[in-house]
Amino acid sequence: MIAVGSDHGGFALKKAICAHLEKRGLAYKDFGTWSEESCDYPDFGKAVAKAVAAGECGQGILICGTGIGISIAANKVPGIRAALCGDCFSAEATRLHNDANILALGARVTGEGLALKIVDTFLDTPFSNDERHIRRIRKIED
Ligand code: RB5
């Protein structure tokens, strides 16, 4: 189950991402927001992060205008490694190296076509399981 959330700035892209996940047959849970009415990105960043940290959802996707505020908020939740990505190389590397469990996107920065490719890259790339990467991730949590 993929946890999905956005603020108003990411609402339109969240809708496109949810439609894309449906097309791929991937189950998701939408934690809001549900309109373009102004709202606070930490509310949605933290709701998705808590669902992933608790194991209720395996991975998360978060969107705000820049992707910055919502990823900062998500990364405050212990166990969360939220990665803001604007390209497919970063999305692949953050799965391979950081075992990132949340992808953050900036809807005012990254167009829909690229965003969907970033989503696919993130979801389809497994963690490398390399010893050095496991060691480094452990050091983040210390
Ligand atoms: C909302 O205007 C905007 O500040 C928010 O979407 C995000 O970009 C914050 O980091």
Side-chain angles (χ1 to χ4, degrees), residues 39-50:
C39 60
D40 299 337
Y41 58 79
D43 296 342
F44 306 95
K46 287 200 169 176
V48 164
K50 283 178 184 168

Side-chain angles (χ1 to χ4, degrees), residues 3-4 6 24 37 40 45 51 62 64 71 74 80 92 101 109 111 117 119 122 132 137:
V4 182
S6 77
R24 285 196 51 176
E37 194 180 321
D40 299 337
L62 285 170
C64 68
S71 57
I80 290 305
E92 183 182 43
N101 46 17
V109 183
K117 284 211 178 295
V119 165
F122 184 86
R132 70 185 190 286
I137 290 165

Side-chain angles (χ1 to χ4, degrees), residues 7-10 38-39 41 63-72 106-108:
D7 72 351
H8 54 289
S38 184
C39 60
Y41 58 79
I63 314 112
C64 68
T66 58
I68 297 170
I70 209 157
S71 57
I72 291 172
R108 295 174 184 156

